[in-house]
Amino acid sequence: MPYTANVCKQSFATAFISPFFGRDAERCFDAAICAGRKIIVWRFTVTMTQPSVDISARTPDKDYLNVFDTNANSHCLPLLATAIGYKLRRAQLAVFQDFQKSFACVKLRPTEFAVLSLIATNPGQKQTEVAEQLGIKRANFVALMDCLETRGLAERRKGDIDRRSHSLHLTAKGSDFIAEISKLWTQHEKRIIERLGGEENRDALIALLDRLLAGKKRTPIPRR
């Protein structure tokens, strides 16, 4: 019987291509579609899902092709090129990759950098406060602080009034470490700003991200 793919593009990539291309599944799928390889992708899908079906003399049915037609009246998701979440995730990965290369010499992860930065900026904060600012679950934050304490970069001090509460502080070694990684951070930020096209674009991007984080509708930024 005719094979009809009643799936949207993202579901298709997740279900059939991810096992073979991993994280690059959707990118590979987009490349295939953009190159006009609809029939090839269709044949690949049928082969993987219905190996007993002979497709040598067949072509994909209309319903299947409509799944990938951006003008078709279907319930499929839009192309990933216009998906905000997808673009944010890819941008985050690009920034993190540069960060990891920059800080590989000091073996520091982005989350650890963020914690040290908050402690250095405002020492004495409770660990629950820092965890909340970074959106980290309590159990995960405790493990993260354990790592920083083991390295001798930060320490937890019991409160004078509430002994169950812990305030966070840099050690002397931690303060020296901050001075060291500040240079690496400056170089990392400079590369990202250059990729954005300058500080003005950086400021505009941060303003837009702040709007998104605030969750409120505001007056659109005029185009120049």
Side-chain angles (χ1 to χ4, degrees):
M1 57 186 297
Y3 174 73
T4 301
N6 292 319
V7 293
C8 64
K9 185 179 72 168
Q10 187 176 33
S11 298
F12 174 90
T14 301
F16 302 123
I17 302 183
S18 289
F20 301 92
F21 295 97
R23 294 181 179 179
D24 288 330
E26 291 174 350
R27 179 177 61 80
C28 293
F29 182 78
D30 276 344
I33 296 303
C34 292
R37 309 262 196 256
K38 295 180 182 179
I39 294 179
I40 292 178
V41 174
W42 173 79
R43 290 178 180 276
F44 172 81
T45 306
V46 177
T47 302
M48 297 307 302
T49 59
Q50 301 184 42
S52 61
V53 176
D54 180 12
I55 62 173
S56 59
R58 293 177 55 193
T59 57
D61 55 282
K62 182 177 179 181
D63 289 340
Y64 174 83
L65 291 180
N66 281 342
V67 170
F68 310 108
D69 184 359
T70 57
N71 296 319
N73 295 321
S74 65
H75 297 290
C76 295
L77 296 177
L79 292 175
L80 291 181
T82 61
I84 296 174
Y86 175 76
K87 287 293 186 179
L88 287 175
R89 177 58 175 164
R90 293 302 299 269
Q92 179 196 37
L93 290 175
V95 174
F96 274 21
Q97 287 172 357
D98 189 273
F99 181 97
Q100 290 168 350
K101 290 179 181 179
S102 302
F103 289 81
C105 58
V106 293
K107 298 180 180 179
L108 192 70
R109 296 177 297 172
T111 307
E112 293 170 335
F113 174 88
V115 172
L116 291 175
S117 178
L118 288 177
I119 296 175
T121 303
N122 189 10
Q125 295 183 82
K126 296 180 181 179
Q127 61 180 13
T128 53
E129 295 173 339
V130 176
E132 183 178 352
Q133 291 178 65
L134 297 177
I136 302 176
K137 293 182 179 180
R138 182 180 181 281
N140 295 337
F141 187 80
V142 170
L144 193 156
M145 277 302 302
D146 287 344
C147 180
L148 293 177
E149 282 191 318
T150 299
R151 295 183 62 176
L153 301 177
E155 61 182 359
R156 285 171 281 206
R157 301 176 187 173
K158 291 184 178 181
D160 295 332
I161 300 177
D162 186 355
R163 304 296 292 177
R164 297 171 300 177
S165 176
H166 292 84
S167 60
L168 306 181
H169 302 265
L170 294 179
T171 61
K173 179 180 178 181
S175 296
D176 293 339
F177 185 72
I178 287 293
E180 176 186 354
I181 64 176
S182 293
K183 300 176 182 178
L184 299 176
W185 171 255
T186 299
Q187 296 170 0
H188 163 67
E189 281 285 286
K190 183 178 180 180
R191 285 192 296 272
I192 300 302
I193 291 173
E194 288 177 350
R195 292 177 66 174
L196 289 173
E199 294 184 357
E200 185 176 349
N201 289 343
R202 184 272 314 271
D203 294 342
L205 174 61
I206 290 178
L208 290 173
L209 293 175
D210 285 342
R211 290 186 184 185
L212 188 61
L213 293 172
K216 298 179 180 179
K217 293 183 179 180
R218 299 183 181 180
T219 304
I221 296 178
R223 293 188 176 183
R224 299 174 180 175

